[in-house]
Amino acid sequence: MEHVSTLNTAITRLKHDVKIRKLKVTQITPLSPIFTQITFYSEDLKDFVTASPDDHVKVFFPDPETGHYSIPRLGPEGLQTEAGQPEPLMRDYTPINYDSNNNTLDLIFFMRDKGAGALWAWKAKEGDELYIAGPRGSFVLSYTFDWYLILTDESGLPSLQRRLQEMPKDAKGLVLAEISKMSDALKVQTEDTPKGMEIQWLERTADQRGYGSSDSFLKALDDFQKPEGNGFIWIKTESYVALQLKNYILQNNITQDEWIKASGYWKRTRS
């Protein structure tokens, strides 16, 4: 594992050796009408490393028609598709609840999505197999800030769940989480999560343009009262929305650029 220093001492970036791992489904747990957690076991997980809720693994799915896996090989420049092979059917997922003693790992699937992951998860059963690679690296934050602000839609809720589990119990801040309706919400707070992290659920209204709009977030940010001290901000939304929100935060001097981690978790097709 290689350590890479940054100018910001609150942040450490780690690089990990990439390995392709074969996993087997051992349990399927519905979490809400739109989220399902699947537990995997593998001896390949013995040396798995995940150091941050910002981590993601590449998950390789079989062709839905043929059941064939197109798995890349590890080359000098990372993952490479073999000549003559179809491009891998892959998506990014946040690793959850890694247990190094039992060699198990959870992934949470957004079941309303029409993509490869949701289609596979709908049919998944115990004994089914998947392949993963990564994480390639970790963005590790030392929790030394006075407050935290997290903005996310459904795509970032698994990462948020893990974030709240790993934050210090005295952490303070606000979560703005956008969903279509309250019954869809993923349970992200437990007895072990910080009591000082308030969660504000933002339900999309009928006049909004559906997924991938910044309207609810911007309205909530207009009412946000910046706490005293230094704050760190995570944004985990549609790509263009993440850019809009970061620009708003900088324009309104809510925190400084290097203390914002804005990630586009998906891309909306825009006319």
Side-chain angles (χ1 to χ4, degrees):
M1 184 187 305
E2 176 186 355
H3 290 253
V4 180
S5 61
T6 69
L7 294 177
N8 190 333
T9 57
I11 297 168
T12 303
R13 297 182 185 274
L14 307 177
K15 289 186 177 180
H16 310 304
D17 294 332
V18 177
K19 177 181 177 180
I20 295 175
R21 295 174 167 87
K22 183 179 181 179
L23 313 182
K24 181 174 291 187
V25 175
T26 60
Q27 186 173 345
I28 300 173
T29 308
L31 301 179
S32 85
I34 63 170
F35 286 103
T36 294
Q37 178 174 291
I38 299 184
T39 301
F40 298 88
Y41 167 83
S42 177
E43 289 292 316
D44 290 347
L45 289 169
K46 283 184 176 179
D47 57 353
F48 184 75
V49 177
T50 175
S52 167
D54 287 305
D55 288 355
H56 69 266
V57 293
K58 294 286 184 186
V59 180
F60 303 96
F61 296 100
D63 184 288
E65 295 183 2
T66 66
H68 174 72
Y69 289 90
S70 180
I71 308 298
R73 65 178 178 85
L74 289 174
E77 298 182 2
L79 298 174
Q80 298 176 341
T81 303
E82 295 281 2
Q85 292 294 314
E87 287 298 317
L89 189 59
M90 60 185 179
R91 299 289 187 273
D92 292 343
Y93 284 85
T94 300
I96 302 289
N97 302 326
Y98 171 55
D99 185 336
S100 59
N101 293 320
N102 294 309
N103 297 324
T104 58
L105 177 71
D106 292 343
L107 300 177
I108 296 178
F109 292 81
F110 179 43
M111 305 303 287
R112 187 166 290 169
D113 184 15
K114 303 299 183 182
L119 292 175
W120 179 87
W122 277 117
K123 300 178 181 179
K125 60 186 184 300
E126 290 187 23
D128 284 354
E129 297 174 343
L130 276 186
Y131 294 83
I132 66 169
R136 293 179 59 185
S138 297
F139 175 97
V140 181
L141 183 76
S142 61
Y143 290 104
T144 55
F145 290 84
D146 300 297
W147 54 270
Y148 304 90
L149 175 63
I150 303 175
L151 302 97
T152 184
D153 59 16
E154 289 93 339
S155 65
L157 290 182
S159 177
L160 169 63
Q161 182 189 72
R162 178 175 167 181
R163 173 73 64 191
L164 293 176
Q165 290 173 348
E166 297 183 9
M167 293 180 86
K169 301 303 179 283
D170 60 351
K172 297 178 181 179
L174 174 65
V175 176
L176 299 176
E178 186 192 54
I179 53 175
S180 291
K181 52 186 177 181
M182 281 304 300
S183 61
D184 290 345
L186 179 66
K187 184 179 179 181
V188 294
Q189 277 188 313
T190 67
E191 294 179 354
D192 297 327
T193 56
K195 299 299 187 291
M197 289 297 298
E198 175 191 353
I199 295 189
Q200 184 177 337
W201 295 99
L202 309 176
E203 290 188 82
R204 297 183 185 93
T205 58
D207 61 345
Q208 285 183 282
R209 295 168 291 170
Y211 299 100
S213 168
S214 61
D215 297 351
S216 292
F217 293 111
L218 293 175
K219 183 178 179 181
L221 285 174
D222 283 339
D223 297 329
F224 176 68
Q225 298 296 316
K226 177 182 174 180
E228 294 185 0
N230 297 320
F232 194 92
I233 299 176
W234 285 279
I235 304 172
K236 303 171 183 298
T237 61
E238 190 274 337
S239 294
Y240 183 64
V241 171
L243 178 61
Q244 287 180 298
L245 297 178
K246 181 176 181 179
N247 288 339
Y248 177 98
I249 288 164
L250 292 175
Q251 291 166 5
N252 289 272
N253 298 313
I254 297 176
T255 196
Q256 57 196 62
D257 190 12
E258 60 264 39
W259 292 347
I260 303 172
K261 179 71 160 56
S263 302
Y265 271 34
W266 60 283
K267 290 186 179 182
R268 174 185 176 184
T269 301
R270 300 175 185 274
S271 56

